[in-house]
Amino acid sequence: MKKTLLAGALAALALAAAGGVAIAQAAPQAAAPRAMRADADGDSRISQAEFVGRRLQRLTAADADRDGSVTPEEMRAVAQARMAQRADARFQRLDANSDGSISRAEFDMRRAARAEARPHRAARMHRGAGRMARHGQGANMHGPISIAGAQAKAEQAFTRLDADRDGFITAAERRAGMQGVRRERMTERRAARHAQRQASPPAPASE
């Protein structure tokens, strides 16, 4: 009896240890998709083609006339199509039993009212695409976004992140690179605030 209990206890300890190892091994894998979303082939590293392709995916999809640039009108068309798809999905979710008891006319009227209440949503999406392109068109973010310019910026970003220059970015390199970018942005913001304070005229002395 004692031998049976001892064997059972050892087996339980072995299973617990194996489970701990499995959890420890699974944790990085669970976090990897978020940090390595551009890893299309799943080899735990990002090639330049994967990195640049991920950066340009939305821009190339929005370039309806394939002229190599994305205009605000093209971005608005993408935003409107996306809003229509989401509206259709919401309708399907509301009509749980698929009996069509929700009036489509009322639903579309509500959608139009919500769209009119948010007229700047497409403009925000265009600015977001510009940030994603890392200012491929320079400071002129209200005009067309050059896909070639965005590609050049993406290639520069890849070179900056590829610390060991092996042609691939690992999760560790990406984390280190993003931390460096955040530090640079904080330094730039502090310098801009300091310059603004220096340029501001002193307040007049009270009499």
Side-chain angles (χ1 to χ4, degrees), residues 77-93 104 107 111:
V78 171
Q80 291 169 0
R82 189 172 300 167
M83 288 173 65
Q85 290 175 355
R86 290 176 179 173
D88 290 338
R90 284 196 298 270
F91 182 85
Q92 295 297 330
R93 287 196 299 270
R104 187 68 196 219
F107 184 85
R111 181 183 66 180

Side-chain angles (χ1 to χ4, degrees), residues 156-169 173:
Q156 292 173 7
F158 179 88
T159 301
R160 185 172 62 251
L161 292 173
D162 184 18
D164 57 7
R165 299 295 184 267
D166 66 345
F168 294 93
I169 297 174
E173 286 176 326

Side-chain angles (χ1 to χ4, degrees), residues 118-199:
R118 294 180 293 179
H120 303 298
R121 180 169 182 174
R124 289 198 301 269
M125 289 190 64
H126 182 255
R127 290 194 295 270
R131 288 193 295 271
M132 178 192 66
R134 295 190 179 272
H135 305 282
Q137 189 66 17
N140 183 22
M141 297 312 299
H142 297 289
I145 298 174
S146 167
I147 295 179
Q151 179 176 348
K153 294 290 185 180
E155 291 172 353
Q156 292 173 7
F158 179 88
T159 301
R160 185 172 62 251
L161 292 173
D162 184 18
D164 57 7
R165 299 295 184 267
D166 66 345
F168 294 93
I169 297 174
T170 63
E173 286 176 326
R174 187 174 180 82
R175 285 193 298 269
M178 294 309 297
Q179 289 173 359
V181 169
R182 285 193 289 269
R183 285 194 295 268
E184 291 176 3
R185 290 177 180 173
M186 290 179 61
T187 301
E188 291 174 358
R189 286 195 290 268
R190 284 196 294 266
R193 287 195 296 267
H194 178 73
Q196 186 176 7
R197 286 195 297 268
Q198 294 294 326

Side-chain angles (χ1 to χ4, degrees), residues 25-40 42-46 54 171 174-175:
Q25 291 176 347
Q29 294 175 356
R34 182 176 179 85
M36 304 288 285
R37 285 175 291 185
D39 181 19
D43 64 350
S44 300
R45 57 183 187 172
I46 300 174
R54 177 77 181 186
R174 187 174 180 82
R175 285 193 298 269

Side-chain angles (χ1 to χ4, degrees), residues 11-139:
L13 288 173
L15 288 173
V21 172
I23 293 173
Q25 291 176 347
Q29 294 175 356
R34 182 176 179 85
M36 304 288 285
R37 285 175 291 185
D39 181 19
D41 57 9
D43 64 350
S44 300
R45 57 183 187 172
I46 300 174
S47 67
Q48 180 170 322
E50 289 172 330
F51 183 87
V52 175
R54 177 77 181 186
R55 294 291 183 92
L56 302 183
Q57 184 176 7
R58 289 186 180 179
L59 290 177
T60 53
D63 183 17
D65 56 7
R66 298 294 182 264
D67 65 346
S69 63
V70 179
T71 64
E73 291 76 17
E74 287 174 325
M75 287 305 301
R76 279 194 291 270
V78 171
Q80 291 169 0
R82 189 172 300 167
M83 288 173 65
Q85 290 175 355
R86 290 176 179 173
D88 290 338
R90 284 196 298 270
F91 182 85
Q92 295 297 330
R93 287 196 299 270
L94 290 173
D95 188 14
N97 57 1
S98 300
D99 64 350
S101 60
I102 300 171
S103 169
R104 187 68 196 219
E106 293 176 354
F107 184 85
D108 288 342
M109 186 179 299
R110 180 185 177 189
R111 181 183 66 180
R114 293 180 64 183
E116 290 177 0
R118 294 180 293 179
H120 303 298
R121 180 169 182 174
R124 289 198 301 269
M125 289 190 64
H126 182 255
R127 290 194 295 270
R131 288 193 295 271
M132 178 192 66
R134 295 190 179 272
H135 305 282
Q137 189 66 17

